[in-house]
Amino acid sequence: SPAAREMLGREPEELKESRWDLVHPEDRESLATSLQKLGEAGGEATVLYRAKHANGDYIWIEAAGRLIPATRDGGPPEIVYSGRDVTARVRAEKALAEREAFMRAVTDNIPAMIAHLDRNEHYTFANAYIADVFGITPLDMIGRHVRDVRGATQYALLKPHIDAALAGQRADFEWELVLEGRSRHFRATYVPDRDDKGNTRGFFAVVFDISDLRAVQAQLDRLARIDSLTGVANRRGFEERMGGAIARSRRHGTPLAL
């Protein structure tokens, strides 16, 4: 059609013969296969390929084709299709995919659980570290609600902080959870995600597993109060317990024996 002038910079007469030389070399095989399947099976098909513009650049074309069956008077079957230039869309999708790949390459190598959720509390992004902690792959989380992924008990703990983040406030908090029979401690930061107008459209969640840190702190705390050789309270432990006992005695007016 005359639109060939605007789309490809070529006169329609140039395209009346087979012009596979205008199809990008990487797309020729897939396009030929699609046309062959359409010719054999009939019906409709949509194909995406690159075609060479008269200026030497390649543009992306999305074409919808339909097989027209052979006519009763013996005319051969034909394929009729309409194509549109989708170069801008393909480039935008490619740029988005590249940005996501870059983000994933960075976040997957950070020892923290990183996720993004929309205003409806559905996951839109999750890094690989989450699978190491909770045993669920990022792909299984995308599009699902927090409650469905984390369970009702965890959701009840997280909900106030989720509400704060969606209200535009940063939320920092810690919580304890039992996973596979082991007590785990987590420290989380929820940061609002705002659009160019300042409206909150979701939030980013960064969660660190601080279980080892808490275990070390508990051990140090125990060593500060318990003699490592005998296992009985040391001077600091004695003074703390004695101070508590005296305070209770004064508060309740009860005697105290040492």
Side-chain angles (χ1 to χ4, degrees), residues 96-119:
L96 181 62
E98 290 175 349
R99 286 196 297 270
E100 182 174 348
F102 173 77
M103 183 177 180
R104 184 165 295 283
V106 173
T107 58
D108 281 354
N109 290 281
I110 295 177
M113 293 171 281
I114 302 175
H116 179 271
L117 297 93
D118 61 21
R119 283 204 60 84

Side-chain angles (χ1 to χ4, degrees), residues 224-227 232-242:
R225 294 169 173 80
I226 302 297
D227 180 74
V232 298
N234 60 15
R235 183 180 184 87
R236 178 178 177 182
F238 166 78
E239 290 177 346
E240 288 181 349
R241 296 177 66 179
M242 186 65 184

Side-chain angles (χ1 to χ4, degrees), residues 32 53 56 108 127 162 216:
H53 193 278
D108 281 354
N127 72 336
I162 293 175
V216 171

Side-chain angles (χ1 to χ4, degrees), residues 2 4 29 33-34 55 143 167 194 218 223 225 258:
E29 182 176 354
T33 301
S34 298
N55 62 12
R194 307 177 191 275
L223 291 175
R225 294 169 173 80
L258 173 60

Side-chain angles (χ1 to χ4, degrees), residues 5-16:
R5 297 189 186 96
E6 180 180 352
M7 186 179 295
L8 294 170
R10 302 178 184 277
E11 293 299 321
E13 289 74 16
E14 298 181 60
L15 306 176
K16 288 184 177 180

